[in-house]
Amino acid sequence: MGWLPGRGGRGGVLTLLLVCIVLFGGIQVYDAAVGGRVRWAGFTALAPVVAGALLPFGPTVAVGVTALVADLLVYGLFVGNVPLSSRLWAVAVVAFGAALGVVVCRVRLDREARVSRLTIARDRLSLLGEASQQVGSTLDVTRTAQELAEVAVPQFADFVVVDLFDPVLRGEEPDPGPIRGAVRMRRVAHQSVLEGVPEAVLEPGEPTHYPEQYILARCLAEGRAVREPMRIGDQQPEWLEKDDIRAEQARKFGFHSSIAVPLRARGTTLGVAVFIRHRRPEPFDDDDLLLAAEIGARAAVCVDNARRYTHEHRTALTLQRSMLPRRLPRLAAAEVATRYLPAGGQAGVGGDWYDVIQLSGARVALVVGDVVGHGLYATATMGRLRSAVRTLADIDLPPDELLTHLDDVMIRLRTETEQDSPGGEFSATCLYAVYDPVSRLCTLSRAGHPLPALLLPDGRVDHIELPAGPPLGIGGLPFESAELLLPENSVLAMFTNGLLESRRDGTTAGIDELRQALSEPFTTLDEACDTLLRTLLEEGPKDDVALLLARTHALDEAHVATWDVAPDPESVATARELAAEQLAEWGLADAAFTTELVVSELVTNAIRHAGGPIQLRVIREHGLICEVSDGSSTSPHLRRARVYDESGRGLFIVAQLTERWGTRQTSSGKTIWAEFSPDATLPVDTLSV
């Protein structure tokens, strides 16, 4: 009914109708006085009917009374030559018109009220529908709060603020409430019908304090929505007057009505939302209070979902970072730089990992892996796999054998936890490489993992072709290794598929850009890592990314000494002398006594229990490494000799004198190795053994 006149138009209609009544009254007087007839009373009766169709109830009654009084005056005072029956008929017609106008007005007003109530109910249902659809589109607490503010403006309020407790933003469990007394919160979101939100006294992210009498504090204490006027005549409420800054803003922009809604979900108070009107003239009513409470309840569930996701994401990220190596070992074999980036958006933390494992003989193992899936489950599986890799690496398994054993571990884990695995997916990919700086030989094997890239000293970048092994957890298919002779200062790039999947143009384009970015000049490996991530992840990672860069070094003859030892007990003294001379040449004469004792024990054991061919090798890197190789595949075991035993103390002495020791299998037998610092000396209590 938008064609009806407004307040000013209705005043004009009322005036027009009164003029018409006067006009028709005058015509009736003339007609009755001259012709003694009653012909215009029906037109006078139309005025109340028209008023009933157009005007409110009060003006309609006024028009009807005026018409009836005018008719009584005309036929009671001004004319006398009209029969009484005609006069009564004329008055009855006007009275009927006045009554009909009142009835028409009442029917119309009732209908308009019903239509208005239905329209308001429809608008409120529509607003609730929009709130259900728009609030909670992401699992970000801040964004969810902003969506709540945006959905309420301008459909419901002119200005909305959302404040949350600090633990909610960290994903922690806040106080369940009700919360009494003064409260400290943090502004998270706000929205206004005015551009730039000039009404706000805080910017998002700033902390704030609300006294006990403030409307926000009271709604939190009562645990329910609170509605209060912000202007009573020319005065502001007492609680607002005590806050000079907010009171000034309220006066400046004309705040007149407000609703504060506590955001509670699952028995926990998360924060509060405040709805304010200053452009709309009508204040909030009881129905608006119910609507605000319903919007707040629905939004609170979304905020709590985002909080729980934040908590799980931070927990998984903390767990994963705690499982990744925090400090890389200092190696002579390679210089290493690593990066880990968790996925953005709602993907959650995944199971990507890397590791750098120091092996015997100055060698190093480089590992990059990726567990399928995201969340705590994938992170926990990653931790178990990383521990398994380290355990298998400690026994110096070749890469293909290590992946075979790791595949068995993954199958057992799947069998144990198959019912708990979300989505039914339980597999992983892995790339395992072992680099020997003495021979410059790199042995690699992969299980469904992306191929590594190699930056050669001349600037060329190639992808290393490796046999395509199946992902871990499939079982039944063998793994194969490939060996490469790497020039010194080559850079090996190992990464998970998240580095390439984030490319908008597909994986192939990602590989091309990876080559291009890796070939760019860089000073340090850390700079190269940053360049790769910046180039390939312009829009942020869509999946977890683990990146490992290793610049290989070589240990030349100046750092390695090798001798063949005859399988004769008299050769033990010769081996000791050769080792002592080499240490003196390296400037490590202070460690000669300890080294001679270790060499003596290892060579003696090889001669007695293994036989030839026997080889002694001494390697100088950051520390000192002694290795004795023989033709037997039987590994020695550390044991504690009894008091009267004549043997069995050799490995015990070696273990006491060195930082670590072990054995590894070779193609022709085994190698027993021991590592110790150059300044190592023989403890006094060990000599008494």
Side-chain angles (χ1 to χ4, degrees), residues 388-411:
V389 170
R390 278 192 163 266
T391 301
L392 295 171
D394 282 343
I395 59 177
D396 267 314
L397 289 179
D400 53 344
E401 293 186 25
L402 183 141
L403 292 183
T404 300
H405 285 282
L406 198 62
D407 186 47
D408 294 337
V409 171
M410 195 70 176
I411 292 175

mmCIF file with all atom_site columns, all heavy atoms in Angstrom, residues 388-411:
data_model
loop_
_atom_site.group_PDB
_atom_site.id
_atom_site.type_symbol
_atom_site.label_atom_id
_atom_site.label_alt_id
_atom_site.label_comp_id
_atom_site.label_asym_id
_atom_site.label_entity_id
_atom_site.label_seq_id
_atom_site.pdbx_PDB_ins_code
_atom_site.Cartn_x
_atom_site.Cartn_y
_atom_site.Cartn_z
_atom_site.occupancy
_atom_site.B_iso_or_equiv
_atom_site.pdbx_formal_charge
_atom_site.auth_seq_id
_atom_site.auth_comp_id
_atom_site.auth_asym_id
_atom_site.auth_atom_id
_atom_site.pdbx_PDB_model_num
ATOM 1   N N   . ALA A 1 388 ? 60.064 -44.327 14.153 1.00 0.00 ? 388 ALA A N   1
ATOM 2   C CA  . ALA A 1 388 ? 60.449 -45.579 13.500 1.00 0.00 ? 388 ALA A CA  1
ATOM 3   C C   . ALA A 1 388 ? 61.603 -45.362 12.528 1.00 0.00 ? 388 ALA A C   1
ATOM 4   O O   . ALA A 1 388 ? 62.528 -46.191 12.438 1.00 0.00 ? 388 ALA A O   1
ATOM 5   C CB  . ALA A 1 388 ? 59.244 -46.177 12.773 1.00 0.00 ? 388 ALA A CB  1
ATOM 6   N N   . VAL A 1 389 ? 61.570 -44.251 11.790 1.00 0.00 ? 389 VAL A N   1
ATOM 7   C CA  . VAL A 1 389 ? 62.657 -43.960 10.850 1.00 0.00 ? 389 VAL A CA  1
ATOM 8   C C   . VAL A 1 389 ? 63.973 -43.795 11.598 1.00 0.00 ? 389 VAL A C   1
ATOM 9   O O   . VAL A 1 389 ? 65.016 -44.321 11.175 1.00 0.00 ? 389 VAL A O   1
ATOM 10  C CB  . VAL A 1 389 ? 62.324 -42.699 10.024 1.00 0.00 ? 389 VAL A CB  1
ATOM 11  C CG1 . VAL A 1 389 ? 63.545 -42.246 9.231  1.00 0.00 ? 389 VAL A CG1 1
ATOM 12  C CG2 . VAL A 1 389 ? 61.170 -42.973 9.082  1.00 0.00 ? 389 VAL A CG2 1
ATOM 13  N N   . ARG A 1 390 ? 63.959 -43.069 12.698 1.00 0.00 ? 390 ARG A N   1
ATOM 14  C CA  . ARG A 1 390 ? 65.195 -42.885 13.468 1.00 0.00 ? 390 ARG A CA  1
ATOM 15  C C   . ARG A 1 390 ? 65.710 -44.213 14.009 1.00 0.00 ? 390 ARG A C   1
ATOM 16  O O   . ARG A 1 390 ? 66.914 -44.455 14.030 1.00 0.00 ? 390 ARG A O   1
ATOM 17  C CB  . ARG A 1 390 ? 64.945 -41.898 14.610 1.00 0.00 ? 390 ARG A CB  1
ATOM 18  C CG  . ARG A 1 390 ? 65.016 -40.450 14.163 1.00 0.00 ? 390 ARG A CG  1
ATOM 19  C CD  . ARG A 1 390 ? 65.063 -39.494 15.328 1.00 0.00 ? 390 ARG A CD  1
ATOM 20  N NE  . ARG A 1 390 ? 65.525 -38.186 14.890 1.00 0.00 ? 390 ARG A NE  1
ATOM 21  C CZ  . ARG A 1 390 ? 66.774 -37.767 14.934 1.00 0.00 ? 390 ARG A CZ  1
ATOM 22  N NH1 . ARG A 1 390 ? 67.716 -38.578 15.392 1.00 0.00 ? 390 ARG A NH1 1
ATOM 23  N NH2 . ARG A 1 390 ? 67.104 -36.560 14.509 1.00 0.00 ? 390 ARG A NH2 1
ATOM 24  N N   . THR A 1 391 ? 64.802 -45.068 14.473 1.00 0.00 ? 391 THR A N   1
ATOM 25  C CA  . THR A 1 391 ? 65.228 -46.365 14.994 1.00 0.00 ? 391 THR A CA  1
ATOM 26  C C   . THR A 1 391 ? 65.856 -47.214 13.901 1.00 0.00 ? 391 THR A C   1
ATOM 27  O O   . THR A 1 391 ? 66.904 -47.848 14.101 1.00 0.00 ? 391 THR A O   1
ATOM 28  C CB  . THR A 1 391 ? 64.024 -47.092 15.613 1.00 0.00 ? 391 THR A CB  1
ATOM 29  O OG1 . THR A 1 391 ? 63.477 -46.291 16.665 1.00 0.00 ? 391 THR A OG1 1
ATOM 30  C CG2 . THR A 1 391 ? 64.447 -48.440 16.177 1.00 0.00 ? 391 THR A CG2 1
ATOM 31  N N   . LEU A 1 392 ? 65.205 -47.236 12.738 1.00 0.00 ? 392 LEU A N   1
ATOM 32  C CA  . LEU A 1 392 ? 65.736 -48.024 11.627 1.00 0.00 ? 392 LEU A CA  1
ATOM 33  C C   . LEU A 1 392 ? 67.028 -47.421 11.089 1.00 0.00 ? 392 LEU A C   1
ATOM 34  O O   . LEU A 1 392 ? 67.919 -48.153 10.628 1.00 0.00 ? 392 LEU A O   1
ATOM 35  C CB  . LEU A 1 392 ? 64.688 -48.123 10.515 1.00 0.00 ? 392 LEU A CB  1
ATOM 36  C CG  . LEU A 1 392 ? 63.405 -48.883 10.887 1.00 0.00 ? 392 LEU A CG  1
ATOM 37  C CD1 . LEU A 1 392 ? 62.365 -48.733 9.792  1.00 0.00 ? 392 LEU A CD1 1
ATOM 38  C CD2 . LEU A 1 392 ? 63.711 -50.359 11.128 1.00 0.00 ? 392 LEU A CD2 1
ATOM 39  N N   . ALA A 1 393 ? 67.143 -46.084 11.138 1.00 0.00 ? 393 ALA A N   1
ATOM 40  C CA  . ALA A 1 393 ? 68.373 -45.451 10.665 1.00 0.00 ? 393 ALA A CA  1
ATOM 41  C C   . ALA A 1 393 ? 69.539 -45.753 11.596 1.00 0.00 ? 393 ALA A C   1
ATOM 42  O O   . ALA A 1 393 ? 70.696 -45.828 11.147 1.00 0.00 ? 393 ALA A O   1
ATOM 43  C CB  . ALA A 1 393 ? 68.176 -43.938 10.545 1.00 0.00 ? 393 ALA A CB  1
ATOM 44  N N   . ASP A 1 394 ? 69.261 -45.932 12.879 1.00 0.00 ? 394 ASP A N   1
ATOM 45  C CA  . ASP A 1 394 ? 70.334 -46.223 13.829 1.00 0.00 ? 394 ASP A CA  1
ATOM 46  C C   . ASP A 1 394 ? 71.020 -47.554 13.546 1.00 0.00 ? 394 ASP A C   1
ATOM 47  O O   . ASP A 1 394 ? 72.187 -47.745 13.927 1.00 0.00 ? 394 ASP A O   1
ATOM 48  C CB  . ASP A 1 394 ? 69.784 -46.225 15.260 1.00 0.00 ? 394 ASP A CB  1
ATOM 49  C CG  . ASP A 1 394 ? 69.581 -44.812 15.776 1.00 0.00 ? 394 ASP A CG  1
ATOM 50  O OD1 . ASP A 1 394 ? 70.158 -43.881 15.184 1.00 0.00 ? 394 ASP A OD1 1
ATOM 51  O OD2 . ASP A 1 394 ? 68.837 -44.638 16.758 1.00 0.00 ? 394 ASP A OD2 1
ATOM 52  N N   . ILE A 1 395 ? 70.316 -48.470 12.902 1.00 0.00 ? 395 ILE A N   1
ATOM 53  C CA  . ILE A 1 395 ? 70.945 -49.749 12.561 1.00 0.00 ? 395 ILE A CA  1
ATOM 54  C C   . ILE A 1 395 ? 71.494 -49.736 11.137 1.00 0.00 ? 395 ILE A C   1
ATOM 55  O O   . ILE A 1 395 ? 71.828 -50.793 10.592 1.00 0.00 ? 395 ILE A O   1
ATOM 56  C CB  . ILE A 1 395 ? 69.964 -50.923 12.772 1.00 0.00 ? 395 ILE A CB  1
ATOM 57  C CG1 . ILE A 1 395 ? 68.722 -50.744 11.905 1.00 0.00 ? 395 ILE A CG1 1
ATOM 58  C CG2 . ILE A 1 395 ? 69.580 -51.041 14.233 1.00 0.00 ? 395 ILE A CG2 1
ATOM 59  C CD1 . ILE A 1 395 ? 67.734 -51.920 12.022 1.00 0.00 ? 395 ILE A CD1 1
ATOM 60  N N   . ASP A 1 396 ? 71.549 -48.545 10.549 1.00 0.00 ? 396 ASP A N   1
ATOM 61  C CA  . ASP A 1 396 ? 72.205 -48.338 9.258  1.00 0.00 ? 396 ASP A CA  1
ATOM 62  C C   . ASP A 1 396 ? 71.642 -49.210 8.152  1.00 0.00 ? 396 ASP A C   1
ATOM 63  O O   . ASP A 1 396 ? 72.383 -49.836 7.383  1.00 0.00 ? 396 ASP A O   1
ATOM 64  C CB  . ASP A 1 396 ? 73.710 -48.561 9.389  1.00 0.00 ? 396 ASP A CB  1
ATOM 65  C CG  . ASP A 1 396 ? 74.446 -47.266 9.681  1.00 0.00 ? 396 ASP A CG  1
ATOM 66  O OD1 . ASP A 1 396 ? 74.143 -46.273 9.013  1.00 0.00 ? 396 ASP A OD1 1
ATOM 67  O OD2 . ASP A 1 396 ? 75.292 -47.263 10.587 1.00 0.00 ? 396 ASP A OD2 1
ATOM 68  N N   . LEU A 1 397 ? 70.313 -49.251 8.047  1.00 0.00 ? 397 LEU A N   1
ATOM 69  C CA  . LEU A 1 397 ? 69.706 -49.979 6.942  1.00 0.00 ? 397 LEU A CA  1
ATOM 70  C C   . LEU A 1 397 ? 69.824 -49.163 5.667  1.00 0.00 ? 397 LEU A C   1
ATOM 71  O O   . LEU A 1 397 ? 69.695 -47.936 5.686  1.00 0.00 ? 397 LEU A O   1
ATOM 72  C CB  . LEU A 1 397 ? 68.234 -50.256 7.235  1.00 0.00 ? 397 LEU A CB  1
ATOM 73  C CG  . LEU A 1 397 ? 67.919 -51.284 8.325  1.00 0.00 ? 397 LEU A CG  1
ATOM 74  C CD1 . LEU A 1 397 ? 66.412 -51.406 8.494  1.00 0.00 ? 397 LEU A CD1 1
ATOM 75  C CD2 . LEU A 1 397 ? 68.524 -52.636 7.985  1.00 0.00 ? 397 LEU A CD2 1
ATOM 76  N N   . PRO A 1 398 ? 70.046 -49.798 4.527  1.00 0.00 ? 398 PRO A N   1
ATOM 77  C CA  . PRO A 1 398 ? 70.016 -49.069 3.253  1.00 0.00 ? 398 PRO A CA  1
ATOM 78  C C   . PRO A 1 398 ? 68.632 -48.465 3.028  1.00 0.00 ? 398 PRO A C   1
ATOM 79  O O   . PRO A 1 398 ? 67.633 -48.947 3.583  1.00 0.00 ? 398 PRO A O   1
ATOM 80  C CB  . PRO A 1 398 ? 70.334 -50.154 2.217  1.00 0.00 ? 398 PRO A CB  1
ATOM 81  C CG  . PRO A 1 398 ? 70.994 -51.247 2.987  1.00 0.00 ? 398 PRO A CG  1
ATOM 82  C CD  . PRO A 1 398 ? 70.405 -51.215 4.347  1.00 0.00 ? 398 PRO A CD  1
ATOM 83  N N   . PRO A 1 399 ? 68.528 -47.422 2.207  1.00 0.00 ? 399 PRO A N   1
ATOM 84  C CA  . PRO A 1 399 ? 67.235 -46.744 2.033  1.00 0.00 ? 399 PRO A CA  1
ATOM 85  C C   . PRO A 1 399 ? 66.100 -47.652 1.599  1.00 0.00 ? 399 PRO A C   1
ATOM 86  O O   . PRO A 1 399 ? 64.984 -47.546 2.125  1.00 0.00 ? 399 PRO A O   1
ATOM 87  C CB  . PRO A 1 399 ? 67.546 -45.680 0.972  1.00 0.00 ? 399 PRO A CB  1
ATOM 88  C CG  . PRO A 1 399 ? 68.985 -45.361 1.179  1.00 0.00 ? 399 PRO A CG  1
ATOM 89  C CD  . PRO A 1 399 ? 69.619 -46.674 1.548  1.00 0.00 ? 399 PRO A CD  1
ATOM 90  N N   . ASP A 1 400 ? 66.333 -48.571 0.653  1.00 0.00 ? 400 ASP A N   1
ATOM 91  C CA  . ASP A 1 400 ? 65.237 -49.422 0.206  1.00 0.00 ? 400 ASP A CA  1
ATOM 92  C C   . ASP A 1 400 ? 64.792 -50.381 1.303  1.00 0.00 ? 400 ASP A C   1
ATOM 93  O O   . ASP A 1 400 ? 63.593 -50.621 1.493  1.00 0.00 ? 400 ASP A O   1
ATOM 94  C CB  . ASP A 1 400 ? 65.639 -50.180 -1.055 1.00 0.00 ? 400 ASP A CB  1
ATOM 95  C CG  . ASP A 1 400 ? 66.942 -50.945 -0.883 1.00 0.00 ? 400 ASP A CG  1
ATOM 96  O OD1 . ASP A 1 400 ? 67.683 -50.656 0.075  1.00 0.00 ? 400 ASP A OD1 1
ATOM 97  O OD2 . ASP A 1 400 ? 67.219 -51.841 -1.702 1.00 0.00 ? 400 ASP A OD2 1
ATOM 98  N N   . GLU A 1 401 ? 65.731 -50.919 2.072  1.00 0.00 ? 401 GLU A N   1
ATOM 99  C CA  . GLU A 1 401 ? 65.358 -51.798 3.170  1.00 0.00 ? 401 GLU A CA  1
ATOM 100 C C   . GLU A 1 401 ? 64.659 -51.027 4.285  1.00 0.00 ? 401 GLU A C   1
ATOM 101 O O   . GLU A 1 401 ? 63.723 -51.527 4.919  1.00 0.00 ? 401 GLU A O   1
ATOM 102 C CB  . GLU A 1 401 ? 66.600 -52.501 3.719  1.00 0.00 ? 401 GLU A CB  1
ATOM 103 C CG  . GLU A 1 401 ? 67.240 -53.498 2.761  1.00 0.00 ? 401 GLU A CG  1
ATOM 104 C CD  . GLU A 1 401 ? 68.383 -54.256 3.411  1.00 0.00 ? 401 GLU A CD  1
ATOM 105 O OE1 . GLU A 1 401 ? 68.374 -54.375 4.652  1.00 0.00 ? 401 GLU A OE1 1
ATOM 106 O OE2 . GLU A 1 401 ? 69.279 -54.711 2.682  1.00 0.00 ? 401 GLU A OE2 1
ATOM 107 N N   . LEU A 1 402 ? 65.112 -49.812 4.533  1.00 0.00 ? 402 LEU A N   1
ATOM 108 C CA  . LEU A 1 402 ? 64.463 -49.014 5.568  1.00 0.00 ? 402 LEU A CA  1
ATOM 109 C C   . LEU A 1 402 ? 63.005 -48.754 5.206  1.00 0.00 ? 402 LEU A C   1
ATOM 110 O O   . LEU A 1 402 ? 62.111 -48.870 6.061  1.00 0.00 ? 402 LEU A O   1
ATOM 111 C CB  . LEU A 1 402 ? 65.223 -47.701 5.754  1.00 0.00 ? 402 LEU A CB  1
ATOM 112 C CG  . LEU A 1 402 ? 64.704 -46.785 6.869  1.00 0.00 ? 402 LEU A CG  1
ATOM 113 C CD1 . LEU A 1 402 ? 65.860 -46.122 7.596  1.00 0.00 ? 402 LEU A CD1 1
ATOM 114 C CD2 . LEU A 1 402 ? 63.779 -45.700 6.313  1.00 0.00 ? 402 LEU A CD2 1
ATOM 115 N N   . LEU A 1 403 ? 62.731 -48.405 3.942  1.00 0.00 ? 403 LEU A N   1
ATOM 116 C CA  . LEU A 1 403 ? 61.351 -48.159 3.544  1.00 0.00 ? 403 LEU A CA  1
ATOM 117 C C   . LEU A 1 403 ? 60.518 -49.435 3.599  1.00 0.00 ? 403 LEU A C   1
ATOM 118 O O   . LEU A 1 403 ? 59.323 -49.388 3.905  1.00 0.00 ? 403 LEU A O   1
ATOM 119 C CB  . LEU A 1 403 ? 61.311 -47.560 2.136  1.00 0.00 ? 403 LEU A CB  1
ATOM 120 C CG  . LEU A 1 403 ? 61.864 -46.135 1.996  1.00 0.00 ? 403 LEU A CG  1
ATOM 121 C CD1 . LEU A 1 403 ? 61.704 -45.642 0.561  1.00 0.00 ? 403 LEU A CD1 1
ATOM 122 C CD2 . LEU A 1 403 ? 61.174 -45.179 2.954  1.00 0.00 ? 403 LEU A CD2 1
ATOM 123 N N   . THR A 1 404 ? 61.130 -50.576 3.319  1.00 0.00 ? 404 THR A N   1
ATOM 124 C CA  . THR A 1 404 ? 60.402 -51.848 3.429  1.00 0.00 ? 404 THR A CA  1
ATOM 125 C C   . THR A 1 404 ? 59.965 -52.098 4.863  1.00 0.00 ? 404 THR A C   1
ATOM 126 O O   . THR A 1 404 ? 58.815 -52.462 5.131  1.00 0.00 ? 404 THR A O   1
ATOM 127 C CB  . THR A 1 404 ? 61.278 -53.001 2.926  1.00 0.00 ? 404 THR A CB  1
ATOM 128 O OG1 . THR A 1 404 ? 61.633 -52.770 1.555  1.00 0.00 ? 404 THR A OG1 1
ATOM 129 C CG2 . THR A 1 404 ? 60.531 -54.327 3.034  1.00 0.00 ? 404 THR A CG2 1
ATOM 130 N N   . HIS A 1 405 ? 60.876 -51.891 5.807  1.00 0.00 ? 405 HIS A N   1
ATOM 131 C CA  . HIS A 1 405 ? 60.521 -52.051 7.215  1.00 0.00 ? 405 HIS A CA  1
ATOM 132 C C   . HIS A 1 405 ? 59.506 -50.996 7.651  1.00 0.00 ? 405 HIS A C   1
ATOM 133 O O   . HIS A 1 405 ? 58.598 -51.284 8.439  1.00 0.00 ? 405 HIS A O   1
ATOM 134 C CB  . HIS A 1 405 ? 61.776 -51.953 8.087  1.00 0.00 ? 405 HIS A CB  1
ATOM 135 C CG  . HIS A 1 405 ? 62.645 -53.173 8.025  1.00 0.00 ? 405 HIS A CG  1
ATOM 136 N ND1 . HIS A 1 405 ? 62.355 -54.331 8.704  1.00 0.00 ? 405 HIS A ND1 1
ATOM 137 C CD2 . HIS A 1 405 ? 63.798 -53.422 7.346  1.00 0.00 ? 405 HIS A CD2 1
ATOM 138 C CE1 . HIS A 1 405 ? 63.286 -55.242 8.470  1.00 0.00 ? 405 HIS A CE1 1
ATOM 139 N NE2 . HIS A 1 405 ? 64.183 -54.710 7.641  1.00 0.00 ? 405 HIS A NE2 1
ATOM 140 N N   . LEU A 1 406 ? 59.657 -49.776 7.129  1.00 0.00 ? 406 LEU A N   1
ATOM 141 C CA  . LEU A 1 406 ? 58.712 -48.712 7.475  1.00 0.00 ? 406 LEU A CA  1
ATOM 142 C C   . LEU A 1 406 ? 57.320 -49.022 6.926  1.00 0.00 ? 406 LEU A C   1
ATOM 143 O O   . LEU A 1 406 ? 56.306 -48.704 7.557  1.00 0.00 ? 406 LEU A O   1
ATOM 144 C CB  . LEU A 1 406 ? 59.221 -47.372 6.933  1.00 0.00 ? 406 LEU A CB  1
ATOM 145 C CG  . LEU A 1 406 ? 58.621 -46.104 7.549  1.00 0.00 ? 406 LEU A CG  1
ATOM 146 C CD1 . LEU A 1 406 ? 58.929 -46.034 9.028  1.00 0.00 ? 406 LEU A CD1 1
ATOM 147 C CD2 . LEU A 1 406 ? 59.162 -44.872 6.832  1.00 0.00 ? 406 LEU A CD2 1
ATOM 148 N N   . ASP A 1 407 ? 57.264 -49.652 5.778  1.00 0.00 ? 407 ASP A N   1
ATOM 149 C CA  . ASP A 1 407 ? 55.986 -50.079 5.215  1.00 0.00 ? 407 ASP A CA  1
ATOM 150 C C   . ASP A 1 407 ? 55.313 -51.105 6.126  1.00 0.00 ? 407 ASP A C   1
ATOM 151 O O   . ASP A 1 407 ? 54.103 -51.048 6.365  1.00 0.00 ? 407 ASP A O   1
ATOM 152 C CB  . ASP A 1 407 ? 56.217 -50.661 3.819  1.00 0.00 ? 407 ASP A CB  1
ATOM 153 C CG  . ASP A 1 407 ? 54.913 -51.003 3.112  1.00 0.00 ? 407 ASP A CG  1
ATOM 154 O OD1 . ASP A 1 407 ? 54.002 -50.164 3.130  1.00 0.00 ? 407 ASP A OD1 1
ATOM 155 O OD2 . ASP A 1 407 ? 54.814 -52.109 2.565  1.00 0.00 ? 407 ASP A OD2 1
ATOM 156 N N   . ASP A 1 408 ? 56.097 -52.021 6.664  1.00 0.00 ? 408 ASP A N   1
ATOM 157 C CA  . ASP A 1 408 ? 55.547 -53.003 7.607  1.00 0.00 ? 408 ASP A CA  1
ATOM 158 C C   . ASP A 1 408 ? 55.038 -52.313 8.868  1.00 0.00 ? 408 ASP A C   1
ATOM 159 O O   . ASP A 1 408 ? 53.988 -52.676 9.416  1.00 0.00 ? 408 ASP A O   1
ATOM 160 C CB  . ASP A 1 408 ? 56.611 -54.039 7.974  1.00 0.00 ? 408 ASP A CB  1
ATOM 161 C CG  . ASP A 1 408 ? 57.016 -54.900 6.781  1.00 0.00 ? 408 ASP A CG  1
ATOM 162 O OD1 . ASP A 1 408 ? 56.208 -55.005 5.843  1.00 0.00 ? 408 ASP A OD1 1
ATOM 163 O OD2 . ASP A 1 408 ? 58.136 -55.448 6.800  1.00 0.00 ? 408 ASP A OD2 1
ATOM 164 N N   . VAL A 1 409 ? 55.776 -51.323 9.349  1.00 0.00 ? 409 VAL A N   1
ATOM 165 C CA  . VAL A 1 409 ? 55.327 -50.573 10.523 1.00 0.00 ? 409 VAL A CA  1
ATOM 166 C C   . VAL A 1 409 ? 53.993 -49.888 10.244 1.00 0.00 ? 409 VAL A C   1
ATOM 167 O O   . VAL A 1 409 ? 53.070 -49.906 11.075 1.00 0.00 ? 409 VAL A O   1
ATOM 168 C CB  . VAL A 1 409 ? 56.392 -49.534 10.940 1.00 0.00 ? 409 VAL A CB  1
ATOM 169 C CG1 . VAL A 1 409 ? 55.849 -48.599 12.015 1.00 0.00 ? 409 VAL A CG1 1
ATOM 170 C CG2 . VAL A 1 409 ? 57.655 -50.227 11.431 1.00 0.00 ? 409 VAL A CG2 1
ATOM 171 N N   . MET A 1 410 ? 53.865 -49.288 9.066  1.00 0.00 ? 410 MET A N   1
ATOM 172 C CA  . MET A 1 410 ? 52.625 -48.592 8.714  1.00 0.00 ? 410 MET A CA  1
ATOM 173 C C   . MET A 1 410 ? 51.454 -49.560 8.621  1.00 0.00 ? 410 MET A C   1
ATOM 174 O O   . MET A 1 410 ? 50.333 -49.242 9.045  1.00 0.00 ? 410 MET A O   1
ATOM 175 C CB  . MET A 1 410 ? 52.828 -47.861 7.374  1.00 0.00 ? 410 MET A CB  1
ATOM 176 C CG  . MET A 1 410 ? 51.777 -46.823 7.064  1.00 0.00 ? 410 MET A CG  1
ATOM 177 S SD  . MET A 1 410 ? 51.920 -45.388 8.142  1.00 0.00 ? 410 MET A SD  1
ATOM 178 C CE  . MET A 1 410 ? 50.649 -44.333 7.459  1.00 0.00 ? 410 MET A CE  1
ATOM 179 N N   . ILE A 1 411 ? 51.700 -50.746 8.092  1.00 0.00 ? 411 ILE A N   1
ATOM 180 C CA  . ILE A 1 411 ? 50.630 -51.746 7.992  1.00 0.00 ? 411 ILE A CA  1
ATOM 181 C C   . ILE A 1 411 ? 50.184 -52.183 9.380  1.00 0.00 ? 411 ILE A C   1
ATOM 182 O O   . ILE A 1 411 ? 48.982 -52.336 9.645  1.00 0.00 ? 411 ILE A O   1
ATOM 183 C CB  . ILE A 1 411 ? 51.110 -52.948 7.149  1.00 0.00 ? 411 ILE A CB  1
ATOM 184 C CG1 . ILE A 1 411 ? 51.307 -52.509 5.685  1.00 0.00 ? 411 ILE A CG1 1
ATOM 185 C CG2 . ILE A 1 411 ? 50.118 -54.098 7.231  1.00 0.00 ? 411 ILE A CG2 1
ATOM 186 C CD1 . ILE A 1 411 ? 51.902 -53.588 4.805  1.00 0.00 ? 411 ILE A CD1 1
#
